[in-house]
Amino acid sequence: MKFFLSTLVVLLFAAICYAQDPAKQIAAATTDLEKQLLKASISTELKQQCANDIAEARANLKRDFVLLSLYNLRTCQLELASRAFAAARTNIKTNNEFEQQWQQLNAQLAEREKLLFQPTRKPVPAILTALTQLSQIEIREFQQTSRQAVANNNIAEGLYLLGHVPANLDFATFARSLHLPAPKTAATFRSLAPELTKLEAAALRTFKSADKNSQPQFERLKASLKSANELNSASLYEGALLKYLESELYFGLIITSAEKEDLEHLQGRADEAERPPPTGKVDHSIAALFAQMAQASLKPAAGGMPTQAQIKQAVVILNLVLPSYYEYRKVSTVTR
């Protein structure tokens, strides 16, 4: 429990110290994550991936891409926290000891979950709600899979999976603490079942004609669609929308060929996409996240020209992801 509490204290300290500035909140959390990375006993591959994510988060903060910087940190934060949780509990050797730890942690987290996921007086930006809902659904998933691992006599794996439970709750707590401007009008959302069904059918047709080299890309798409469906089934529509748009991005990267559009024109389109629509009153923060991705791809933080892969990502976001978002929002109504 020691690491869990220390991680939460650091995240909340960052939130309290910079209560009016989300960029400073994220910068403080980024610095702490980097310190954790230096001490972590993890694979070279994971260490490099975390280092890249932290560097991207810092670069995006400098460009005032606050939403994208938060998004950059999530995977690394969950991985480091989960591994540290397991490393601190190597004394747990039996299934009974694990079950006692599981029950103890579940009781400790129940009240925090209740507070975190309750309605708020003011509208919360949809992207923060989406990230919170994603953690909410993953908490339930990792509670189940950790027990399954232990039932298969893999206590070490069970502890690692169980570590994702407090890690997700810590990240969701931090995200909800960010003082982003509250939308004037709360966004309304509906089930994404029609969109998900259509995308799954298109992905299946493409998979059947794809070569073996694209298998990892389809696995990533499959995992994202699974998450989107789970969120949608639970009526967590903001989170489902985020994962649906991620899935559209992954699918677009599979089917999109080299782009010949003028780079300057693409950059202009990306700059325009990051601005809110003329109405200015409706929360489009989920779209803003992907618009920031497109801008970051076309204007690398290190300077110089974007790579073909970066250009391709921007094109997919501008031509597929953002149009899918606005098409969905045209007919969104509350159906919960």
Side-chain angles (χ1 to χ4, degrees):
M1 194 63 189
K2 183 179 179 181
F3 179 82
F4 165 54
L5 288 174
S6 63
T7 300
L8 177 60
V9 167
V10 169
L11 290 174
L12 291 181
F13 178 76
I16 293 169
C17 286
Y18 303 103
Q20 301 306 317
D21 191 335
K24 288 183 178 179
Q25 289 178 266
I26 295 173
T30 302
T31 298
D32 178 68
L33 197 60
E34 190 170 46
K35 291 177 181 177
Q36 293 178 39
L37 182 60
L38 292 174
K39 301 175 183 178
S41 298
I42 56 178
S43 69
T44 302
E45 182 181 3
L46 178 56
K47 185 164 284 192
Q48 186 58 56
Q49 183 58 55
C50 272
N52 292 342
D53 290 346
I54 289 170
E56 285 188 17
R58 282 214 171 97
N60 287 322
L61 278 178
K62 288 181 180 179
R63 296 186 288 191
D64 201 29
F65 293 166
V66 174
L67 302 182
L68 183 54
S69 64
L70 175 66
Y71 183 83
N72 291 146
L73 292 180
R74 186 174 187 271
T75 299
C76 181
Q77 186 270 324
L78 295 180
E79 278 298 316
L80 293 187
S82 302
R83 291 172 188 276
F85 178 94
R89 289 162 177 75
T90 54
N91 61 310
I92 295 177
K93 302 293 185 183
T94 69
N95 289 18
N96 285 339
E97 289 173 341
F98 174 87
E99 183 62 23
Q100 289 175 5
Q101 174 67 72
W102 193 98
Q103 294 289 353
Q104 181 185 30
L105 183 62
N106 186 59
Q108 291 166 344
L109 297 178
E111 191 60 30
R112 282 187 60 207
E113 279 190 279
K114 182 180 178 181
L115 293 172
L116 179 63
F117 301 127
Q118 67 183 2
T120 57
R121 289 188 299 108
K122 292 183 179 181
V124 175
I127 184 59
L128 298 186
T129 300
L131 290 170
T132 302
Q133 290 177 347
L134 181 55
S135 286
Q136 185 178 0
I137 208 79
E138 288 189 2
I139 285 170
R140 297 288 169 262
E141 177 184 345
F142 283 113
Q143 282 180 318
Q144 294 174 5
T145 57
S146 65
R147 272 179 162 171
Q148 292 169 4
V150 172
N152 292 328
N153 298 316
N154 194 337
I155 292 178
E157 178 70 8
L159 287 168
Y160 162 70
L161 295 172
L162 185 61
H164 280 78
V165 174
N168 266 286
L169 193 53
D170 283 347
F171 184 85
T173 300
F174 177 67
R176 288 292 289 268
S177 78
L178 295 177
H179 287 261
L180 295 173
K184 294 180 180 179
T185 304
T188 57
F189 299 88
R190 59 167 173 81
S191 170
L192 286 102
E195 288 80 5
L196 290 170
T197 299
K198 182 179 178 181
L199 180 55
E200 286 171 336
L204 181 60
R205 288 194 300 270
T206 305
F207 175 75
K208 289 179 178 178
S209 60
D211 57 48
K212 292 182 179 180
N213 293 331
S214 55
Q215 184 69 23
Q217 293 173 293
F218 277 103
E219 287 299 323
R220 181 173 67 169
L221 172 59
K222 180 181 177 182
S224 184
L225 281 169
K226 177 177 179 292
S227 181
N229 275 298
E230 288 173 351
L231 286 155
N232 197 61
S233 295
S235 298
L236 301 175
Y237 297 137
E238 292 92 332
L241 177 58
L242 174 62
K243 296 304 293 186
Y244 162 65
L245 295 174
E246 279 185 1
S247 302
E248 286 279 21
L249 174 57
Y250 297 152
F251 182 59
L253 291 174
I254 294 172
I255 65 172
T256 300
S257 57
E259 181 56 42
K260 296 182 172 33
E261 190 170 351
D262 177 74
L263 179 58
E264 184 176 350
H265 182 245
L266 280 174
Q267 289 174 336
R269 289 179 61 200
D271 290 343
E272 186 66 27
E274 206 274 331
R275 301 170 190 166
T279 57
K281 295 182 179 180
V282 180
D283 179 4
H284 290 297
S285 56
I286 294 177
L289 168 65
F290 289 94
Q292 289 178 6
M293 284 186 197
Q295 285 184 295
S297 295
L298 293 173
K299 298 177 181 178
M305 298 291 289
T307 65
Q308 284 301 308
Q310 289 172 321
I311 293 173
K312 183 177 180 180
Q313 172 162 293
V315 167
V316 171
I317 292 171
L318 294 172
N319 291 351
L320 181 61
V321 177
L322 291 178
S324 295
Y325 169 84
Y326 286 109
E327 183 62 29
Y328 163 80
R329 291 300 304 275
K330 280 181 184 178
V331 290
S332 287
T333 56
V334 177
T335 58
R336 350 185 170 196

